Amino acid sequence: SDDSALAEGDLVKVDLGVHVDGFIAVVAHTVCVGGAPKNSKAADVLLAGQNALEVAMRQCAAGKSNQDVSEPMQKAAEAYGCSVVEGVLTHQMKRYIIDGNVVVLNKPSTEYRAEEQNFSLHEVYAVDVVVSTGEGKPKMLDEKQTQVYKADMSKKYSLKLKASRGIYAQIKNLPSGGALPFTVRDLEAESESRMKMGLVECLQHELLQPYPVLYEKDGELVAHFKATCLLVGAGVDKVTGMPVEGVESDKKIEDEEVLALLATPLRKKKKNKKKKAQA
């Protein structure tokens, strides 16, 4: 466990998810300890992340394409001198499935591209945005720091080690059967070495998917925002997430396309039916 003490000016993200009978809601939010000073890098990255999330949610509407999301996100981030982080995906969610087939690649490149797909009515999405004051190309420095995993339900393998079979049996006995992310704290083993041994064999045969700890370059700041969105007839229903408040920067979004998106409500307001005049 990490016993680091927080200091004023640190950026802290809270990233969590819950499910009821397999139906999932997730959320992530980033704050600055003690508040972000006006025009600071912390203020810029928080506002970049918040606005990138807002435009992404508006583009994840029924009938639109997943290819239409990344460009306005990047423009929103660039207005504050920031970049959208590579490798982050917005996923469709279904019952016991946190990473469905319809995805948005937040920052496409020549190496990574997502198949074009359209959003449909009544789908649910985890709109996931990470921005950085740097290049947005974080690296994993130590795979041993990974503490969060999920089972890949499509993979089958007969584990050879007793320690591995014991760990995997515990994972399958979790409330979600391991289909949803869990931490190593949820598992028990005779010793830390046997725990690692069991996890290693599961990872080698792709029975588990890791959620690695990633690092940006020294001196750069990263902010993470995520919201659960339902695609309804009136637009997009944001059911988790909260706004950034009390953060100011002289930098502003000037791109007309992005400003138009931000001015558009997530959901169309219902028109009040006029009462018939009484005779």
Side-chain angles (χ1 to χ4, degrees):
S1 62
D2 188 354
D3 57 359
S4 301
L6 296 176
E8 186 168 339
D10 285 348
L11 288 184
V12 180
K13 77 161 181 176
V14 179
D15 185 2
L16 58 88
V18 298
H19 78 93
V20 177
D21 195 24
F23 295 99
I24 309 160
V26 293
V27 66
H29 191 76
T30 303
V31 298
C32 182
V33 177
K38 183 177 179 179
N39 295 327
S40 63
K41 287 178 73 171
D44 288 340
V45 77
L46 290 173
L47 291 171
Q50 173 67 29
N51 283 289
L53 175 69
E54 290 294 332
V55 296
M57 288 190 297
R58 285 159 173 77
Q59 291 294 78
C60 291
K64 292 189 176 183
S65 167
N66 63 341
Q67 304 296 310
D68 299 332
V69 183
S70 60
E71 185 177 350
M73 282 177 57
Q74 184 62 32
K75 288 180 179 178
E78 287 175 350
Y80 296 93
C82 297
S83 300
V84 174
V85 170
E86 289 185 354
V88 180
L89 302 176
T90 283
H91 275 287
Q92 181 188 12
M93 296 193 296
K94 298 181 180 181
R95 190 182 183 203
Y96 285 114
I97 299 176
I98 202 168
D99 49 1
N101 293 331
V102 183
V103 302
V104 174
L105 188 58
N106 290 358
K107 193 172 184 178
S109 64
T110 54
E111 187 177 357
Y112 300 105
R113 296 201 68 83
E115 177 187 354
E116 183 168 10
Q117 296 168 298
N118 288 334
F119 303 110
S120 299
L121 201 61
H122 304 139
E123 291 178 339
V124 182
Y125 285 86
V127 183
D128 200 355
V129 174
V130 184
V131 297
S132 168
T133 58
E135 295 181 1
K137 298 179 179 180
K139 306 293 184 184
M140 179 176 65
L141 300 183
D142 184 0
E143 62 181 11
K144 295 178 182 177
Q145 290 184 320
T146 302
Q147 297 290 304
V148 180
Y149 302 88
K150 69 177 285 292
D152 187 335
M153 312 306 286
S154 67
K155 298 296 174 63
K156 306 292 180 184
Y157 178 76
S158 297
L159 294 163
K160 303 298 188 290
L161 299 177
K162 181 179 178 182
S164 305
R165 294 195 298 271
I167 291 297
Y168 196 64
Q170 290 184 60
I171 293 170
K172 300 301 287 184
N173 284 328
L174 293 172
S176 70
L180 301 179
F182 61 89
T183 72
V184 174
R185 295 189 303 273
D186 295 329
L187 309 175
E188 296 181 358
E190 295 177 6
S191 65
E192 186 176 346
S193 62
R194 290 187 68 81
M195 173 75 76
K196 291 180 179 178
M197 188 187 306
L199 289 172
V200 165
E201 189 182 12
C202 291
L203 288 165
Q204 286 176 339
H205 298 283
E206 300 180 343
L207 296 179
L208 298 180
Q209 295 178 359
Y211 287 75
V213 179
L214 302 177
Y215 289 84
E216 179 58 286
K217 291 181 179 179
D218 288 345
E220 303 297 352
L221 301 179
V222 176
H224 185 192
F225 296 91
K226 180 163 52 182
T228 300
C229 294
L230 315 181
L231 308 194
V232 296
V236 176
D237 192 357
K238 177 185 176 185
V239 297
T240 67
M242 57 189 292
V244 171
E245 296 179 336
V247 179
E248 298 181 63
S249 174
D250 288 338
K251 295 176 182 175
K252 298 189 182 300
I253 295 172
E254 297 180 352
D255 185 273
E256 292 184 1
E257 177 193 5
V258 176
L259 290 173
L261 281 172
L262 292 173
T264 304
L266 282 172
R267 292 189 59 162
K268 298 176 184 176
K269 292 183 179 180
K270 291 182 178 179
K271 294 181 180 179
N272 292 326
K273 294 181 179 180
K274 294 182 179 180
K275 293 181 179 180
K276 293 181 179 181
Q278 292 181 352

